[in-house]
Every structure is written in C-alpha cells, then in structure tokens.
Amino acid sequence: MKTLKSLGYLLTLPLILLAWWWIATSGAANFFVPTPAKLAETFIDTWMGEKLLTDVLPSVIRLVVGVLAAIVLGIGLGLAVGLNRTMRAVTEPVFEFFRALPPPVLVPVLMLLVGINDGMKIAVIISGCIWPVLLNTIEAVRSIDPVQNETSRSYGISGLSRIRYQVLPSATPTIMAGVRQCLSIGLILMVISEMFASSSGLGFTIVQFQRSFAVPEMWSGIVVLGLIGVALSFIFQWCERRVLRWYHGLKEVENAV
Amino acid sequence: MQSNNPTSHAGGRTLPEGEALLSVRNLKKVYRTDAGDIEAVRNLTFDLGRGELVCLVGPSGSGKTTLLKCIAGLLGSTEGEVRLDGEVITGPPKKMAVVFQEYGRSLFPWLRVAENVELPLKNAGVPKAERKVLVEQALEAVGLAHVPKSYPWQLSGGMQQRVAIARAVAYQPEVLLMDEPFAAVDAQTRADLEDLIRSVWKKLGVTVLFVTHDIDESIYLGERVIILSSSPTVVQEDIVIDLPAERDQLETRSLPRFTELRHHVYAEIQKAKQGHRPEEAITMVVK
Amino acid sequence: MTEVVQERPRAKSLSRSPRVKSKGLPKPVLGLIGVLVFLALWELMPVLGIVKAKYLPPASEVLTALVADLGMTAFWVAVGETMTAWALGLAIAVVLGLVLGLVIGMSPFLRRFTNSTIEFLRPIPSVALIPLAVLLFGMKIESSLLLIVYACFWQVLIQVLYGVADVDNVAMQTARSYGFSYWQRVRDVVFPTMLPYLMTGIRLAASVALILAITAELLIGSPGLGNEITLAQSGGAIAGMYALILATGFLGVGINGVTRVVEKRVLSWHPSIRGEVTP
C-alpha cells in the first residue's frame, strides 16, 4: 500500500504532463513539437543503432575522461596550494579570475592552441571543470579544524598519512560540492565543443538536425542529452551518499539539536 | 595528627637529575602578535616523576593550555626547555598522548569509534592483529566495548570523551596529557570520567598531567597539585595531596582533609588572581 | 560558477590563544606577485616560441588591445547587450523560481507530487535547448533568455525549496494557531527563514546566467560579447579575441563581487547567516 502511494507520487505528475503534451500535439500537426509517439519512434530509429557507437559513446567517453582528469588534477593541485599559506595568497587573484571566466570562452582559445581534435575537446572540459574542484579543495584545506590538526600532530600523523587520514576525508564534503558543479560544467562544455567545431559527436549531430529542420530528430537529441544529464546526476548522488554517509549523519545530528 | 598546611613548595618541585620523567625548566612563552607581544608563560619549572598523577590548576587565562601545548610539543617555547626522559622536546614525542577538551573536534567524524582509536596505531605501523587487541582493550577499559561500530557523533559528549581517552590509552604513552578534558560535559558524567581516569592511571601505571580550572577536580584526582599564578604564568605553589589512594566521589569529597586542601588551594588561587607572586619565581626572572 | 558550498565556522581555537603574527609579505603583495608571474609567463610563452604568437599573442599585446577596446563604443554596446540578457534572464528566473518555490515548498503534498519531475528536469543541461532556441527565435535576445532562464530557474527553485523546508515547524504552528493567513505566514515566517537560501540561489544563478549569455552569443550569434569573440576569431584578430575573453572574465569577477556584497547587505540583519546547502 505504502509503495503504491509513493509510486503514485512518483508517476502522477510526469503522466499528467505526458498526457497534456499528447493532447496538445495530436490535433493539428505542429511543426515545432512532435507528438510523444513520433518522438519515441524517432528516438529509437535515430539513436538505438549505429549512432550510439559513432556519436554518443565517443562524446560520453570524452566527458568522463575530461571530468575525471579535472577532478584528479583539481584535488592534487588544491592540496598543494591549500596547505601552503604563501601559495594560497600568491595564486588567489589569478584563480579568482579563472573561476569567474565563463568556461565556454575557452572553446575558441583551445581550438587555436590545440587544434580541432579529441584532445581539444578533452582539454576544454578539463580547463573548464577544474576550477570548482580546485577552489573548493583549497578552501576546504584552508578551513580545516585546528583541533584536528593538533590531534594529528600529537599522534605523529604527518606528511602523506596526514593527507590520507585527516586532510582529504575532512575536505571531502566541500570537494564533492565542487565535483557536482564540475559535472554540470563538463556536460555543457562537451556539447558546446562539439557544436562549435566538430564533424561528429552528440552536439554536432543535434545541430545538424536543427539546420536541416529535422525537428523530431532534433528533439530526440535533446532527450539524449537530458538522459545523460539525469544519469550523471544519479551516479553522482549514489557516489556522494556512499562517500559522505558520515557527513550526512553528522549534519542530521547537528540539526536535530 | 596531620598538620593543617599541606606539604608544599613555593615554585615547582624538582627531582634530582635522572629521576624525573618529564621536566620543565624555566619555560617561557611569548606570542608575537600584530598588536605587540603577549607574555603568556613567564617562567615555569617543575618535574613529574614516573607514574605520578599531577593536576595543574590555575585561574582562567593563566596560560594552562599554552603550557600544555608546549609540553606536548605542539608549540615551541620562547625560552627554557621541556625534557621527556632526558631528551629535549622539539615536536610531539612518540611517548606522549594528548586528550583535548574539544572531543567533538578531536575525534575524526568520518571514522567509527574503533577506527578512531586504531588510527594512531595504524599510522605508527603496529601490526593489524596487535592493533585489534589494543583497540579492544582500550575500549573495554573506558567501558565502550559495545559501540566500536558507531560513529563518535552518534554518542553523547561523555562517551565521545571516553573514545578520546581510549585512543590515548591504546597508543600506550608514557605520559598522558589532558587539557581540561571534562570542561564540556555535564556534572554526573564528569564524576564518572574522573573515576575512569583514576582507574586507568592505576591499571596502566601511566604518568598523567591533568589540566583543569576546577579546584575540587584537581584535588580529587591528583596525587599532587601544581597551582599556577595568573598570566604571565609562574608556579604559585606545588602541593602534595595526602588523601587515601582509594578515592570515592562521596566519601573522599566529604573528608575533612579534602575540605582543608580545597580551602588552601582556593586561597592560593584567590591570591594569584589578585596578582600575588611567589618570591622565588620572581627572583628567577630577575636573574 | 565556482562556489565554495560549505562554509564552516572559522577556527574557534584561534580566539583562545592569541593570534600569531603572520610571517613574510602581506597578502595583497603576494597576490600581486602571483598576477605578475602569471602575466610574465604569458608574455614569455610566445616570445620563447613555446606557442606560436599567432595563436597566443603576448600579454602586453592583449592588454593593449583591451585598453583600446575600452575606448570604443562598439565594445560597450556589446557589454550592454550581454548584460541586458544577463539581467533580464536572471530576473525572470528569480521571480519564477521564488514564486513556484514558495507555492510548492509550503505544501507537503505539492513537494512530494513534483519531486520526481523536478529531479528529472533539473539535470538536463540547458545547452541541450540551443537547437530549439535557434529554431524558435534565431539570433535574437530571446534565444539567450531561453537558455538563461532555464538554467537559473532550477538554481533558485532548489534553494527556495530548501529554505522553505528549513522553516521551524513550531514557528509555523504558532503562526497558524494565532490565525495568520496564508499570505501572512509567507511574509512573516517563511520568507525571513528562506531569505539566506534565496540569496545563495541568486548568487549561484548570477554566474550561471553569465555563462549561458556568453554561450548563446558564441554559438547562436545573439548580440553581445560572445558574438564579438566569434567575429574576432573568424576575422583573425587574435589579440582582440583574447582581449574580449579577458573582458568576459572581468565581467564575471564583477558579478561575483557585486552579488557577494548584496548578499551580505541583505542578510546583515539576519541572526544566522547560514552555511549553504548542497542541493
């Protein structure tokens, strides 16, 4: 009974929206919006075949490689800079500028510097995604609790073991917040870099559909991007819940007081 | 019949060369701040013999925490030195463990209770099987054998401080430093924890230096109480607590001797607050 | 875009022991050194031939081009166009997000009822809408607005929902027992609690809005700085392109600074300037 009720909450609104869409489009033929049935049909015809391997998969691989590299580099660099007060002060204005720079402007720059290839697209993703991770890591390391530091010191936990046992775990909540932003920027940059300069990939294909006025195909491409976004978000939430179980528990206890 | 005045030293008691486990000599600490220098500790000299349980008591702001951090090797001294087993302390020594007042921040919230206790051992390279035994024994000793899998923040304040004590005990230190460890727990829990410290001290034969601002606590716990002056700090008096070895929250605290000692320490602290300073310490500074 | 999301209370024990004088040079000087080192590296890279000057002109050349831009009306017109799209899009998104967030947040039924739809629509990247925007509006400002509003709406909505959920139940029941109307409850109980969250949402949305304004201009060609960048690139005015890119960065720095000041001002009376939530 209870599961039935939650299922109801889960599905009712999406079903209402779907029905509304279906009724709104089924009357007269609408050039801009296909019917749900037409979209579903186009979606399967367009993407559930060769295109999945030639366009979707390479895009997703570039995204994953870029985002992972940005996370690793961001955390590594963030630890190095964050643990050193002088380095923090020296880099702050420059990093502050790069944080504020809208990442899409990096696309034309890297097209010039790297050329138009896979390397450029990954470079765009890395150079746009690294900032939230980097700056959040620096901030997290800067604001580490001094009592935790003294605890580590008094028990002889120093150097790499201190980073492993104390600094990284205590910085994880803030780093994860950066990773979440990193993911959404990464997805934006994946699409943009392909729309801007490419002859394959998801972004390129969708723009091609739009240019040739293949409207249902274009919509199906939007659906693919949406699905990737939703999938990334779920994967992230799953990881976050595992990595930060302690943190959410701690917050709950603190908020209950 | 006992004399009314306790056996005492003006200034800290020192031991002959080679007998002290921990010796503090002419320790001075000056903080250099943007607003000018602040002299927190002026001149401290005292010794701790092996196996002693000594309480440091002083008015608030008397540099107790500063002193403890200097002894723990967490802060460098401006002048003078601290020796452990004859060796000058320059950083946190291996044979020392510290229990901080802020248990909630000193325990790592991402580690479970047993993992918190285990971490210093793991870091020191103690083999896994041995670690397991030490952790179990330590948790048993503080009465927490039933919650190894809990996170510290799921426990009450008193239990969290027990975890911190277990962590220190498992580390098998020669000296256990405690910085007002019970200042943030309620009175009932506090009494239990005081008895826990006495029993751990007796069982393990560890040397304990216990910092507190609570006069009753210092007398109840200590075999010896060092009274500090107000800042800049010197040793006001160093007295022997001649109470029976078996202490009991009700009985010990209602002994006439307990009341006498309490009066004595209280009077000394009042004197300290009014700026009275023992002659000896002052002449040492002048020299 | 980048925001440090958890702001923890500052180290308490610093107040226990006196603040120790920092060694070495003061912070602004160190920061200046950092900027100069960065500019020097940039200047040297093309000079030493690490990258071709054709692709990365030296810093001096780009800065000169930027200064020249600052004297030109066309540049300021482009800045104005970008900022118009930014401000309009942000305003629409904030109003929509605030109103819907309040309505949904205040009803436990609506919260559960809309949850799955929100969680599904929110992660959809707004750039997925670029082809649709082109199809519907072409190179007009409406294209930018569509993308900006879509992206910013979720930022604001989510924060408002968190804020409303944070409202103290006892306070709410008290208000109800004293016969406060719906509108009075919103105004006197919900709104003050939610305000810090709303401000966070606006601050995050403000930088997201700039990203999408520039994106729309770069890709669709709606008027503004982004479009000028594309034009400079295709026209081979590489130093000019870099100058415009620097300009978008300074715009971002400015927006971050202003929103942070506004947030502080608005919340200065607030008893608890809260840490932000991770949505």
Side-chain angles (χ1 to χ4, degrees):
Chain A
M1 191 60 214
K2 213 174 158 199
T3 48
L4 207 67
K5 204 173 160 191
S6 15
L7 204 67
Y9 274 119
L10 201 68
L11 292 179
T12 312
L13 184 58
L15 288 176
I16 291 176
L17 291 176
L18 208 63
W20 175 61
W21 171 19
W22 185 73
I23 292 166
T25 50
S26 61
N30 186 323
F31 175 73
F32 288 113
V33 188
T35 62
K38 173 77 180 150
L39 181 59
E41 189 192 319
T42 319
F43 178 82
I44 291 168
D45 289 349
T46 314
W47 300 102
M48 294 295 118
E50 199 193 340
K51 271 209 159 26
L52 190 65
L53 292 177
T54 57
D55 290 298
V56 181
L57 205 58
S59 294
V60 172
I61 289 174
R62 283 195 291 265
L63 174 66
V64 170
V65 170
V67 162
L68 286 181
I71 292 172
V72 171
L73 284 173
I75 293 177
L77 209 59
L79 285 173
V81 172
L83 287 170
N84 182 319
R85 189 205 298 251
T86 310
M87 279 293 280
R88 256 179 1 229
V90 169
T91 53
E92 195 185 311
V94 177
F95 284 178
E96 199 65 35
F97 179 82
F98 277 102
R99 155 215 289 243
L101 189 72
V105 299
L106 295 167
V107 179
V109 172
L110 288 163
M111 266 169 63
L112 280 174
L113 293 178
V114 185
I116 299 175
N117 52 36
D118 280 0
M120 176 279 265
K121 285 168 206 150
I122 292 175
V124 164
I125 293 174
I126 295 175
S127 51
C129 291
I130 193 171
W131 305 104
V133 183
L134 174 65
L135 287 154
N136 275 31
T137 309
I138 293 176
E139 173 57 25
V141 172
R142 185 190 64 75
S143 57
I144 281 186
D145 193 319
V147 177
Q148 283 180 6
N149 281 338
E150 282 180 346
T151 304
S152 286
R153 281 187 63 204
S154 67
Y155 284 105
I157 301 169
S158 59
L160 279 180
S161 11
R162 178 170 159 248
I163 288 178
R164 179 172 158 209
Y165 295 127
Q166 183 216 333
V167 177
L168 262 185
S170 81
T172 316
T174 315
I175 294 178
M176 286 308 269
V179 169
R180 173 186 278 275
Q181 290 171 355
C182 163
L183 278 178
S184 52
I185 298 178
L187 190 53
I188 291 179
L189 289 177
M190 174 196 97
V191 179
I192 294 180
S193 66
E194 289 168 1
M195 285 183 176
F196 215 90
S198 191
S199 52
S200 70
L202 204 40
F204 168 79
T205 313
I206 296 172
V207 169
Q208 281 308 109
F209 287 144
Q210 172 248 315
R211 290 202 178 131
S212 54
F213 296 99
V215 175
E217 284 81 0
M218 179 197 86
W219 273 101
S220 74
I222 294 176
V223 171
V224 173
L225 284 179
L227 287 176
I228 293 174
V230 173
L232 279 180
S233 157
F234 275 107
I235 293 169
F236 174 80
Q237 279 175 27
W238 185 79
C239 293
E240 203 228 17
R241 263 203 293 275
R242 311 211 95 201
V243 177
L244 292 184
R245 186 171 298 162
W246 65 271
Y247 179 75
H248 294 305
L250 177 68
K251 286 288 132 196
E252 242 169 63
V253 171
E254 277 177 2
N255 291 341
V257 172
Chain B
M1 162 145 187
Q2 277 175 318
S3 72
N4 261 358
N5 278 331
T7 320
S8 73
H9 286 250
R13 193 197 63 187
T14 52
L15 295 166
E17 190 88 16
E19 279 183 32
L21 175 62
L22 185 78
S23 39
V24 179
R25 285 290 174 278
N26 296 331
L27 188 77
K28 181 189 180 87
K29 177 69 190 177
V30 178
Y31 288 106
R32 309 205 180 280
T33 70
D34 293 330
D37 291 359
I38 296 173
E39 187 182 18
V41 172
R42 175 162 291 169
N43 188 321
L44 283 172
T45 295
F46 61 86
D47 279 342
L48 254 65
R50 203 172 284 276
E52 273 195 293
L53 199 177
V54 178
C55 290
L56 265 173
V57 65
S60 50
S62 61
K64 298 187 291 281
T65 297
T66 303
L67 167 61
L68 193 101
K69 283 187 180 164
C70 286
I71 296 177
L74 291 168
L75 270 180
S77 58
T78 312
E79 277 171 32
E81 62 184 26
V82 180
R83 283 173 185 269
L84 176 64
D85 247 349
E87 298 208 12
V88 177
I89 287 176
T90 50
K94 269 221 159 79
K95 301 170 188 167
M96 240 183 223
V98 186
V99 174
F100 295 90
Q101 179 187 332
E102 304 95 336
Y103 48 82
R105 291 158 61 198
S106 157
L107 294 172
F108 293 165
W110 51 89
L111 296 179
R112 293 165 194 276
V113 165
E115 292 167 336
N116 261 295
V117 178
E118 188 188 10
L119 180 60
L121 302 170
K122 197 167 162 184
N123 181 65
V126 177
K128 196 167 182 182
E130 198 180 325
R131 276 195 328 244
K132 195 164 173 261
V133 176
L134 283 171
V135 171
E136 273 170 15
Q137 280 172 352
L139 286 175
E140 185 78 52
V142 300
L144 283 180
H146 58 295
V147 291
K149 290 253 150 59
S150 300
Y151 284 104
W153 37 266
Q154 293 171 318
L155 308 176
S156 68
M159 284 167 94
Q160 290 187 37
Q161 195 55 290
R162 279 169 196 264
V163 178
I165 294 169
R167 179 173 64 186
V169 165
Y171 195 55
Q172 299 177 296
E174 287 186 24
V175 179
L176 182 54
L177 301 177
M178 309 187 88
D179 181 16
E180 304 202 27
F182 310 146
V185 296
D186 62 90
Q188 183 55 51
T189 313
R190 190 171 181 148
D192 293 344
L193 288 171
E194 285 166 5
D195 291 335
L196 173 70
I197 292 299
R198 290 281 305 180
S199 83
V200 164
W201 169 68
K202 271 194 204 147
K203 238 187 272 174
L204 304 178
V206 62
T207 308
V208 180
L209 183 62
F210 188 103
V211 172
T212 178
H213 62 259
D214 183 326
I215 297 168
D216 285 37
E217 185 169 80
S218 70
I219 298 168
Y220 181 77
L221 273 180
E223 300 288 292
R224 201 179 126 202
V225 170
I226 299 175
I227 305 165
L228 298 179
S229 76
S230 51
S231 187
T233 314
V234 295
V235 172
Q236 178 99 1
E237 201 181 23
D238 187 336
I239 62 171
V240 174
I241 302 296
D242 44 5
L243 292 168
E246 274 311 317
R247 301 208 179 158
D248 176 274
Q249 288 287 353
L250 276 178
E251 287 189 9
T252 307
R253 283 178 195 265
S254 51
L255 289 174
R257 186 61 184 157
F258 187 89
T259 318
E260 277 169 23
L261 287 166
R262 187 168 168 262
H263 275 246
H264 182 84
V265 175
Y266 182 76
E268 284 297 323
I269 297 227
Q270 285 309 108
K271 265 204 279 181
K273 277 192 197 160
Q274 282 150 20
H276 168 88
R277 318 181 69 80
E279 295 302 320
E280 188 199 355
I282 291 172
T283 51
M284 280 171 79
V285 176
V286 172
K287 167 205 84 178
Chain C
M1 181 75 193
T2 316
E3 276 306 326
V4 173
V5 175
Q6 273 86 18
E7 275 160 28
R8 292 196 222 158
R10 293 299 299 274
K12 268 185 224 136
S13 74
L14 272 181
S15 59
R16 282 188 71 195
S17 52
R19 202 187 201 97
V20 177
K21 196 189 270 183
S22 48
K23 287 167 236 152
L25 296 165
K27 224 182 134 203
V29 177
L30 289 172
L32 188 67
I33 292 174
V35 174
L36 292 177
V37 168
F38 174 74
L39 289 177
L41 284 178
W42 179 3
E43 184 75 23
L44 282 177
M45 286 226 286
V47 172
L48 295 178
I50 300 169
V51 288
K52 285 186 189 149
K54 189 165 69 166
Y55 298 144
L56 180 67
S60 53
E61 206 181 317
V62 173
L63 288 176
T64 317
L66 180 62
V67 172
D69 274 345
L70 293 181
M72 285 199 272
T73 331
F75 171 78
W76 290 108
V77 170
V79 171
E81 283 160 347
T82 301
M83 291 312 284
T84 309
W86 172 82
L88 266 178
L90 185 61
I92 297 171
V94 168
V95 171
L96 279 179
L98 178 59
V99 171
L100 274 172
L102 282 175
V103 171
I104 294 173
M106 283 189 62
S107 147
F109 167 76
L110 280 181
R111 263 210 308 263
R112 287 196 69 182
F113 188 66
T114 53
N115 186 42
S116 60
T117 312
I118 291 175
E119 284 307 308
F120 187 78
L121 291 179
R122 184 161 71 101
I124 296 177
S126 54
V127 286
L129 302 180
I130 288 176
L132 185 68
V134 176
L135 210 58
L136 292 177
F137 305 116
M139 282 158 56
K140 285 184 296 193
I141 188 174
E142 285 88 338
S143 286
S144 306
L145 288 180
L146 176 68
L147 301 188
I148 296 171
V149 170
Y150 186 84
C152 297
F153 169 72
W154 300 110
Q155 301 277 354
V156 179
L157 179 77
I158 294 298
Q159 290 292 335
V160 171
L161 285 178
Y162 270 102
V164 178
D166 195 41
V167 171
D168 190 2
N169 257 333
V170 179
M172 204 59 174
Q173 278 155 14
T174 312
R176 205 169 277 176
S177 72
Y178 278 102
F180 279 37
S181 67
Y182 185 87
W183 171 238
Q184 277 172 320
R185 288 205 303 271
V186 170
R187 194 190 57 191
D188 296 331
V189 182
V190 177
F191 195 78
T193 312
M194 184 224 47
L195 194 59
Y197 291 90
L198 175 67
M199 293 313 294
T200 303
I202 293 178
R203 178 156 54 79
L204 296 174
S207 44
V208 171
L210 182 67
I211 294 177
L212 286 157
I214 299 287
T215 305
E217 291 159 11
L218 275 173
L219 281 170
I220 304 174
S222 19
L225 276 176
N227 191 32
E228 298 294 318
I229 292 175
T230 328
L231 293 178
Q233 187 211 13
S234 52
I238 300 306
M241 179 189 90
Y242 278 98
L244 290 165
I245 288 173
L246 282 188
T248 63
F250 287 121
L251 219 51
V253 171
I255 287 173
N256 285 354
V258 169
T259 48
R260 229 169 277 170
V261 169
V262 170
E263 188 180 20
K264 235 187 214 160
R265 276 275 175 88
V266 173
L267 298 183
S268 58
W269 57 272
H270 207 274
S272 62
I273 295 191
R274 289 184 163 74
E276 292 156 24
V277 287
T278 334

